[in-house]
Amino acid sequence: MSTEQAAPLKGAAGSEAAQTRRAVGNILKGSAGNLVEWYDVYIYTAFLAYFQPHFFNSKDPLQGALEGMAVFAVTFLMRPIGSWFFGRFADRKGRKAALTLSVTMMSAGSFFIAILPTKDVIGVWALVLLVLARLVQGFSVGGEYGTSATYMSEAATAKRRGFFSSFQYVTLIGGQMLALLVLVVLQNALGKEALSEWGWRIPFAIGGVAALVVLWLRRSMEETVSASQVEAAAGAKASGEAQPGTLKLLFTQHWRALLVCIGVTLGGTVAFYTYTNFILSFMNNTSGIPKETTSVINFWALFIFMLLQPVYGLISDRIGRKPLLLWFGITGVLFTWPLMSALAGTKDPMVAFLLMMGGLLIVGGYTSINALVKAELFPASIRALGVGLGYALANSMFGGTVPLIGAALQKAGQVEMLFTYVTVAIGISLLVYIFALKNRKATHLDREQGHAWDGHPPLQADDDGDRLAAANR
C-alpha cells in the first residue's frame, strides 16, 4: 500500500490559530454526534428499572435486572459487525459519510423504542422488537466509536492531539450524564408511577430528535480522508492489492497492531463499564442506596469525570500517553478491590460518591487518551477499521458483559468475584502497556499530520514492520 498523502483538512495553509479554530469546529461537530449516540446507549440502563415490567415477565427486581442486562449485553454482539461495516466504509468513502449514517441509524432505533407497544399489547413480540431495536443501535454505535476516534485524532492539531481527542470521552461520558440528568428530572417531575407507566418513553424520543439535529450539523464537517486514499480504494481492486478498509489489509499487514489495540482496550472497557454503568445497579441492590439517590451520585461523579478528560489529555500532550495508561493499570490493580468492597458496605451517599469518584480518577488515565493511542497504531488506510474492530471485539467480549456478569453475581450472592474479574482484566492490559507501547514514539499520525513532539528523532520502522521514510515526514 502506498504512503498516504496528508488529508485535505491538514493540507490547507494557515496560521496555527486558524488551524486550531478549524480543529475546534470540526471536533465539536464530530463529538456532538458521539454525545447523542452514547446518550441513546445509556438511557436503556438508566431507565431499565422503570420499563422492564413492560417487556420482561419476572416480578423479582434482581431477576428482571438480570434479564434486562442480558438484552443490553446481546446488543454488544453487533458492535464488531458495525465496526467492520462502518470502518470499511469510513476508510474507503470518508469519515464524514460514515458518521452521518451511524447517527441516522441510532435515531431510528430510539424513535422505534419510544413508540414500541408493550407485552400487554403484543405479547412476546414486544421483547423481540425491543431486542431488534437494540441490535440496530449496537450496530450503529459499533461504527461510531472507531470512526469518531479516527476523525478526532486526524482533525486535531499535532501538538494537542491528547487534548482534542479526549473530547470523544467527554461526549461519551456526557451522553451518560445527560441520560442521568433526564432520569433525575423525570423522577422529580413525574414521580415513580407515571415514569413506570409511560414516562420512560420520553428519553428515547429525546434521543431520536437530538440525533436528527446532529445529522444536520454533520453535513458541514470537513473530511479528513485524502482523495488519493479514496482513489486507491477503487484502484487496488483492479491491481489485486489489499484495499484500504478491508480485513485482508488489516489481517495481513496490521494484525500485530490489532492485537495491541484489543489488549489496550480490555482492562479499560471492563473498568469503565464497572464504574459508570453497572455501579447504578450495584449501589441499588448491593449497597442498598435508593434509586433516586444513586442517580444524583452518578450524575455529579460523572460530571467531574467528564471535566477531567481534557486535563488528562493535556497532561499526555506534555509527558506522553504511556504514563497515563500506567497510572490506570497500576492503581486499578491495587485499588479495585478496596474501593468496590468499601462501596458494597456503605449506605452513606457522600461516602459512596467519594468511592465512585476514586474509581473514576483511576479510569481517567485510560478513557482520556485511549482513542488516540489506538488511532496512532494504524495508518489512515486502515485506521477506522482497525480502531473500531479492535475496540468492538474487546468491548463485546469483556466490557459489554460487565452489567450481565455483575447482575448474575449479585443474584448468586457472589458479587466479590466481580472485583477479581475487574482486577485481572486491568492487570492483563497493564502488561500490554508495559511491554507493547513506547512513550513518545513516532506514529502513523506523526507521519501523516506532523510530529507531536519537538525535537523528535528520525522515524523508525513501526510495529508492523513498515519503513517510515524520513522524506514522508
Side-chain angles (χ1 to χ4, degrees):
M1 181 60 57
S2 62
T3 301
E4 295 85 352
Q5 299 176 5
L9 186 60
K10 296 293 179 182
S15 66
E16 183 176 340
Q19 292 176 355
T20 299
R21 285 195 297 270
R22 295 180 70 197
V24 169
N26 284 293
I27 285 175
L28 285 176
K29 294 169 187 175
S31 60
N34 203 46
L35 173 73
V36 173
E37 290 244 13
W38 289 99
Y39 164 82
D40 286 332
V41 169
Y42 287 125
I43 52 175
Y44 178 90
T45 52
F47 286 85
L48 177 60
Y50 295 99
F51 68 77
Q52 70 183 30
H54 297 289
F55 297 94
F56 305 98
N57 291 318
S58 176
K59 302 298 182 183
D60 178 8
L62 280 177
Q63 180 62 31
L66 178 59
E67 294 172 357
M69 289 302 181
V71 173
F72 182 79
V74 165
T75 63
F76 278 73
L77 298 177
M78 293 299 293
R79 292 201 182 186
I81 301 173
S83 67
W84 164 76
F85 175 84
F86 283 100
R88 176 184 171 88
F89 192 85
D91 286 331
R92 296 171 65 81
K93 302 296 184 180
R95 320 303 189 205
K96 177 181 175 180
L99 288 170
T100 300
L101 179 59
S102 69
V103 78
T104 302
M105 296 184 68
M106 182 61 76
S107 173
S110 291
F111 276 129
F112 186 76
I113 295 175
I115 63 172
L116 185 61
T118 66
K119 64 182 177 64
D120 294 333
V121 178
I122 59 174
V124 71
W125 284 105
L127 179 56
V128 172
L129 292 175
L130 175 65
V131 172
L132 288 176
R134 291 295 294 175
L135 288 175
V136 170
Q137 292 187 312
F139 180 82
S140 170
V141 80
E144 175 72 21
Y145 178 90
T147 309
S148 65
T150 296
Y151 185 81
M152 291 188 192
S153 299
E154 293 172 342
T157 57
K159 302 296 183 182
R160 289 290 179 265
R161 287 195 189 117
F163 173 75
F164 282 119
S165 64
S166 72
F167 281 87
Q168 187 190 36
Y169 261 77
V170 168
T171 50
L172 191 155
I173 298 162
Q176 184 168 4
M177 192 183 72
L178 184 59
L180 286 168
L181 177 61
V182 173
L183 174 61
V184 171
V185 170
L186 292 179
Q187 282 174 335
N188 287 277
L190 299 180
K192 183 177 181 180
E193 184 176 344
L195 192 53
S196 299
E197 185 177 349
W198 57 269
W200 59 269
R201 297 182 183 275
I202 296 175
F204 291 100
I206 292 173
V209 172
L212 292 178
V213 174
V214 169
L215 181 62
W216 177 78
L217 286 174
R218 281 187 166 174
R219 294 172 58 195
S220 60
M221 288 168 57
E222 294 183 75
E223 183 55 74
T224 60
V225 171
S226 64
S228 61
Q229 180 171 318
V230 176
E231 293 170 2
K237 184 174 182 179
S239 64
E241 297 179 13
Q243 301 175 58
T246 60
L247 292 176
K248 179 180 178 180
L249 178 61
L250 180 64
F251 291 152
T252 58
Q253 298 185 33
H254 304 285
W255 60 272
R256 291 185 183 89
L258 178 64
L259 292 178
V260 172
C261 183
I262 293 172
V264 167
T265 306
L266 193 157
T269 188
V270 168
F272 178 75
Y273 276 96
T274 298
Y275 283 110
T276 67
N277 193 286
F278 174 69
I279 203 162
L280 266 172
S281 175
F282 185 82
M283 288 184 184
N284 292 336
N285 298 320
T286 299
S287 304
I289 302 174
K291 294 176 184 176
E292 292 77 8
T293 303
T294 58
S295 298
V296 176
I297 291 172
N298 275 248
F299 176 80
W300 288 111
L302 288 173
F303 179 71
I304 296 173
F305 185 48
M306 179 184 70
L307 295 180
L308 287 174
Q309 300 305 299
V311 177
Y312 282 103
L314 283 172
I315 293 173
S316 80
D317 285 327
R318 295 185 64 86
I319 67 174
R321 325 300 178 200
K322 184 172 179 176
L324 269 74
L325 291 174
L326 292 177
W327 154 262
F328 160 67
I330 294 171
T331 55
V333 168
L334 293 177
F335 293 108
T336 294
W337 251 93
L339 287 171
M340 294 299 291
S341 59
L343 184 58
T346 186
K347 294 182 183 296
D348 188 321
M350 181 55 69
V351 173
F353 167 79
L354 293 174
L355 290 170
M356 179 180 177
M357 200 65 246
L360 292 176
L361 289 173
I362 292 172
V363 179
Y366 164 81
T367 56
S368 57
I369 59 167
N370 81 95
L372 175 59
V373 170
K374 296 166 197 173
E376 290 177 331
L377 294 171
F378 301 95
S381 60
I382 200 70
R383 184 170 294 131
L385 179 60
V387 173
L389 189 61
Y391 166 82
L393 289 172
N395 209 249
S396 299
M397 292 185 289
F398 303 104
T401 58
V402 166
L404 177 61
I405 292 172
L409 291 174
Q410 277 183 319
K411 193 171 188 303
Q414 300 291 329
V415 74
E416 293 84 1
M417 293 180 64
L418 178 67
F419 311 161
T420 302
Y421 173 67
V422 177
T423 301
V424 171
I426 296 174
I428 293 172
S429 284
L430 177 58
L431 295 177
V432 176
Y433 306 152
I434 293 173
F435 296 109
L437 300 179
K438 294 182 179 179
N439 197 39
R440 299 175 68 158
K441 177 188 176 183
T443 69
H444 289 288
L445 275 173
D446 289 320
R447 172 169 62 105
E448 298 160 3
Q449 312 283 10
H451 282 299
W453 316 105
D454 291 326
H456 202 285
L459 291 169
Q460 305 296 320
D462 73 355
D463 289 337
D464 296 315
D466 298 323
R467 179 62 58 180
L468 306 182
N472 291 323
R473 278 185 282 176

